[in-house]
Amino acid sequence: MPNADNWQGDVLRDLRGTPPPQRAQSHGAAHGHHPAQEQQPPPQAQRQPPQEQPRTGARAPGPNSPASSPTAAAPPARTRRPARSPDSRPVVDSALSGTARRPRQGEPAAARVSRAIRRIVSSSAAREVAEITRTAERIQQPVTTGRQIAVTSIRGGAGKTTVAALLGTAYAHYRQDPVLLVEADPALGSLPLRLGAETLRWTTADLADIVEPQMSLLDVTGYLVQLPDNAWLLPGSQGRIGAMLDTAAYERVMVALRRYFGVTVVDCETLPAEVARVALSAAQARVLAAPATLDGITSTYAVLQWMQGLPRHMIAGTVVALTSTTSRPGIDVEDAAEKLRSTGATVHVLPHDRHLAAGGALRTELLARPTRLAATKLAAEVFQLSQKRR
């Protein structure tokens, strides 16, 4: 009998295509085709035994990974055939791909050398390693049901998508269960570009008409964009102007996908968009991205004051990611963070990073060390808050 509290181990086996232990046949045998690689999804009448699906950077379950899934005894899935099969489209048009410059390091070479010397001559290195270990342990806590984390902002240009990409990358790196990043911002959202995706095909609106409770994880991931470290992306659009996502479609997708992924990070539209409001209310934790500018602090403070009139868990489960857009902000960032904390929200400061400021695909090895540490602490804090809500 499957244990509802232990499900990550089985979904990881499902991804690798290996049968559960002490069981003659695997559940929900996956087809030998991959819907993301064909013009039409495969026929469901004849299914082949599960095959190992290529994954970049995926890891086997660790000693604490659970061993079974509440859906382990489900009959073979009969995936609904979509009415249409969209063509793949490149994330960056070929006419523009040559305009990008070589990615920059997050901080100058002199700053990196200076930090390395300070770590050598001081005792801070051991403390830093211990702190990173504690942070990683917080992120790696097991979950009984998938955690959904919504990221939004008051206005465009606040670093919302960058924060969502940083969170998803951190969870995928530290956790062993599958991680999903959802783009709920179809109006020319840039999450696929930030995550380094090359082509897009199936979108959130498409999957709303396809996903069914009987589908296996292998069926579902065939419609997603695979990312490194056991992570997947569900785009909001194919980069077309005018793409729409209604709340009904969003709710169907999120309810259906929640059981497959340990953590789902949702890159929402800016407030007060309807889908963003639905995502924020349904999520177990919320992140409000705000630029470290006077107008950014002013508008964010007004929103937090408004949230104080909502049920207590709304603001208690909200984290403000205060992003420095320049190396020398025009405000005192720490004083501004304290002012925002007075509303009851948690505030984390993300320092200025040249690699992030340049846009384009996020490459963690190019991030400045303070940025990596701050992003990891932010991910741990948000995940900890999500654990407090059902």
Side-chain angles (χ1 to χ4, degrees):
M1 183 72 180
N3 185 347
D5 289 336
N6 298 321
W7 59 275
Q8 295 103 319
D10 190 71
V11 296
L12 283 168
R13 284 194 301 273
D14 194 1
L15 276 175
R16 298 197 309 274
T18 56
Q22 300 180 355
R23 196 171 292 184
Q25 296 180 350
S26 63
H27 72 280
H31 48 71
H33 298 78
H34 203 283
Q37 299 173 351
E38 301 187 44
Q39 292 299 322
Q40 293 289 343
Q44 302 301 315
Q46 298 180 352
R47 292 180 176 269
Q48 301 298 325
Q51 298 180 0
E52 184 173 348
Q53 194 176 20
R55 295 184 294 134
T56 304
R59 298 182 295 275
N64 296 327
S65 296
S68 61
S69 166
T71 59
R78 296 185 59 83
T79 307
R80 186 187 313 169
R81 182 185 297 275
R84 63 181 181 85
S85 180
D87 296 328
S88 295
R89 291 173 58 91
V91 174
V92 179
D93 191 279
S94 58
L96 301 174
S97 58
T99 62
R101 293 181 176 178
R102 182 179 179 180
R104 303 177 68 188
Q105 287 280 351
E107 59 183 347
R112 298 197 302 272
V113 172
S114 175
R115 179 174 293 106
I117 294 176
R118 290 197 303 270
R119 294 179 74 246
I120 292 174
V121 301
S122 68
S123 60
S124 61
R127 292 195 301 269
E128 185 176 291
V129 171
E131 183 178 0
I132 293 175
T133 302
R134 290 192 298 269
T135 303
E137 290 174 350
R138 296 171 65 190
I139 297 177
Q140 292 167 347
Q141 292 179 19
V143 296
T144 55
T145 57
R147 303 287 90 187
Q148 294 182 3
I149 297 167
V151 183
T152 188
S153 62
I154 308 303
R155 62 184 67 186
K160 168 181 65 68
T161 299
T162 298
V163 171
L166 287 171
L167 289 176
T169 301
Y171 295 134
H173 176 74
Y174 285 105
R175 296 189 61 82
Q176 294 179 337
D177 47 14
V179 173
L180 177 65
L181 291 99
V182 176
E183 185 181 47
D185 186 0
L188 296 178
S190 59
L191 186 60
L193 177 62
R194 266 309 203 192
L195 293 172
E198 297 181 356
T199 59
L200 304 176
R201 189 175 185 185
W202 305 95
T203 67
T204 307
D206 295 327
L207 204 59
D209 298 326
I210 298 173
V211 66
E212 292 181 344
Q214 299 84 1
M215 293 174 69
S216 69
L217 179 60
L218 194 60
D219 291 326
V220 170
T221 55
Y223 295 96
L224 306 176
V225 179
Q226 190 170 11
L227 302 171
D229 286 336
N230 207 23
W232 280 264
L233 164 68
L234 178 57
S237 71
Q238 289 188 321
R240 293 188 175 98
I241 295 177
M244 299 296 293
L245 176 64
D246 59 78
T247 56
Y250 173 80
E251 289 174 341
R252 286 200 304 273
V253 167
M254 297 306 291
V255 170
L257 295 184
R258 180 176 177 179
R259 67 189 182 95
Y260 298 103
F261 299 93
V263 180
T264 298
V265 179
V266 185
D267 181 20
C268 301
E269 299 171 294
T270 55
L271 292 172
E274 184 177 5
V275 173
R277 294 199 304 270
V278 172
L280 290 172
S281 62
Q284 283 78 41
R286 291 153 292 279
V287 179
L288 188 60
T293 60
L294 183 58
D295 55 341
I297 294 297
T298 301
S299 57
T300 302
Y301 185 66
V303 170
L304 293 176
Q305 286 183 312
W306 169 76
M307 291 181 66
Q308 287 179 316
L310 301 177
R312 173 62 186 169
H313 73 269
M314 289 296 292
I315 197 166
T318 298
V319 178
V320 176
L322 195 57
T323 58
S324 297
T325 55
T326 63
S327 57
R328 299 187 65 180
I331 61 172
D332 188 319
V333 177
E334 291 302 327
D335 284 351
E338 286 301 321
K339 183 65 174 179
L340 296 178
R341 291 188 184 103
S342 67
T343 63
T346 304
V347 181
H348 278 261
V349 178
L350 291 176
H352 174 69
D353 190 286
R354 297 192 309 175
H355 177 60
L356 293 179
L362 172 65
R363 293 175 52 181
T364 54
E365 72 274 13
L366 296 181
L367 292 175
R369 186 170 186 83
T371 304
R372 291 198 300 269
L373 296 177
T376 305
K377 290 180 181 179
L378 172 64
E381 183 73 30
V382 175
F383 181 74
Q384 197 81 13
L385 291 177
S386 74
Q387 292 280 64
K388 299 179 180 180
R389 292 289 302 171
R390 291 293 181 184

